[in-house]
Amino acid sequence: MTYTVHGATGAQGSPVLAGLVAALEGSADAEVRAITRNPDQTFEGANTVVADNSSVNSLTDAYRAADGVFFHLPLAGDPETLAGYARNVLAAAKAARPSRFVISTSGTVIGDATSPLTGPNTPVLSELVDGLRAEGIAVTVLTPRLFLENLLLPTVLSGVKDEGVLRYPLRADLAVAWGSHLDVADAAVAALTLDVAPDAVDIGQIPAITGNELAEAFAEHFSRAVTFEAVTPEKFGASIAPIIGAGAATGVAQLYAGLATADNVAFDSATGSAAVLGINARNTQAWLTDLGVF
């Protein structure tokens, strides 16, 4: 069995790579390929494959004879560039014919025009998924909502540690099915290695939790009082611009502005990873513990 992982050094791809290596340990005929643009990069238990989303030929080589591919689009970037990446992935898949793709939407919701979590990547991902399926390639779409890792931004975590205040651009009463990169990885490994994988899996905590409940989880983990404080999307965007860049920060602010009137950021439990794959998403305390956040 051969699996190819995009973003092997990144936030989502890295735990997928580690999970596959662990799951396939001892399998003599298993190979895990880690895509990177750095030819000097090495990965324990995996083979380095130099490829770039801008090169169909390099992607074709990375996908050749693969039983499964894990892919997600970068969150930030010029929309036309990202669309070009998706077209290249589709062209390479048509040439190499991997058996399955597992695609993380990284929080974008596709197939639901009413969702507040639609964005520039939504039509790009929809086109990629439809194109792969039209070629007879099985696709599992993993849809997390908001990532818990967002709460590790220095501007957020420092408020918790130094002031006991969790500041975030959401209403305190908005219920969110928070998920993590670790939860995406667990679902991706299962979807890649199952004989038959589902078409779609929602990723996140069930039941969804409010900002106040999120603060309570942080309070329990850090053994101190923590309160939730809603901040404006504009203020939040300005605070993270020095970290992720002005353009990306503007996109983040726009996302949260769109969530201002949302009833919730959740999903039906029947479509979640627990029901579909038998994998429970971590609660906030378990996630903090697994990452060793102190």
Side-chain angles (χ1 to χ4, degrees), residues 107 117 144-150 168 170 174 176-180 203 255-256 259 265:
L117 292 175
R145 270 33 183 201
L146 298 184
F147 280 126
L148 284 164
E149 283 78 7
N150 297 344
Y168 209 73
L170 294 172
L174 182 66
V176 176
W178 290 92
S180 78
I203 309 293
L255 165 67
Y256 287 105
L259 294 176
V265 187

Side-chain angles (χ1 to χ4, degrees), residues 8 25 40 44 55 62 87 106 110 133 148 163 169 172 202 221 248:
E25 186 177 7
D40 297 324
E44 185 174 356
S55 167
R87 288 192 293 267
S106 303
I110 64 177
R133 287 176 174 162
L148 284 164
E163 306 169 59
D202 286 313
H221 181 77

Side-chain angles (χ1 to χ4, degrees), residues 20-291:
L20 278 172
V21 169
L24 299 172
E25 186 177 7
S27 299
D29 60 344
E31 178 190 8
V32 181
R33 299 171 180 167
I35 290 182
T36 177
R37 289 177 293 181
N38 179 4
D40 297 324
Q41 182 77 50
T42 59
F43 302 89
E44 185 174 356
N47 294 326
T48 297
V49 176
V50 178
D52 192 291
N53 289 340
S54 63
S55 167
V56 174
N57 288 338
S58 69
L59 292 174
T60 300
D61 289 340
Y63 298 165
R64 203 175 304 281
D67 294 284
V69 176
F70 174 77
F71 176 76
H72 67 92
L73 278 172
L75 281 177
D78 171 66
E80 185 53 40
T81 299
L82 297 181
Y85 289 165
R87 288 192 293 267
N88 291 341
V89 166
L90 179 56
K94 288 180 178 180
R97 313 298 305 174
S99 301
R100 177 179 301 165
F101 260 75
V102 174
I103 298 176
S104 169
T105 68
S106 303
T108 293
V109 172
I110 64 177
D112 181 4
T114 66
S115 173
L117 292 175
T118 57
N121 284 358
T122 303
V124 174
L125 287 169
S126 294
E127 182 178 346
L128 175 59
V129 170
D130 291 345
L132 290 168
R133 287 176 174 162
E135 290 295 316
I137 297 172
V139 180
T140 297
V141 178
L142 306 180
T143 305
R145 270 33 183 201
L146 298 184
F147 280 126
L148 284 164
E149 283 78 7
N150 297 344
L151 305 174
L152 299 182
L153 285 164
T155 52
V156 178
L157 192 58
S158 63
V160 172
K161 290 183 173 182
D162 299 340
E163 306 169 59
V165 181
L166 176 57
R167 297 185 178 90
Y168 209 73
L170 294 172
R171 301 193 318 271
D173 65 344
L174 182 66
V176 176
W178 290 92
S180 78
H181 298 151
L182 300 179
D183 299 323
V184 169
D186 289 345
V189 171
L192 285 166
T193 57
L194 285 172
D195 290 337
V196 179
D199 291 337
V201 185
D202 286 313
I203 309 293
Q205 295 184 42
I206 300 175
I209 62 172
T210 65
N212 291 329
E213 291 169 325
L214 190 65
E216 290 173 5
F218 271 77
E220 180 175 336
H221 181 77
F222 286 105
S223 300
R224 63 161 301 164
V226 179
T227 58
F228 185 85
E229 179 182 310
V231 297
T232 66
E234 294 77 15
K235 183 176 181 180
F236 183 75
S239 72
I240 64 175
I243 302 171
I244 67 173
T250 297
V252 169
Q254 291 172 344
L255 165 67
Y256 287 105
L259 294 176
T261 58
D263 294 329
N264 61 67
V265 187
F267 51 83
D268 189 313
S269 61
T271 63
S273 61
V276 179
L277 292 172
I279 296 173
N280 290 310
R282 293 162 179 77
N283 63 30
T284 308
Q285 296 99 315
W287 166 74
L288 286 165
T289 299
D290 285 352
L291 283 188

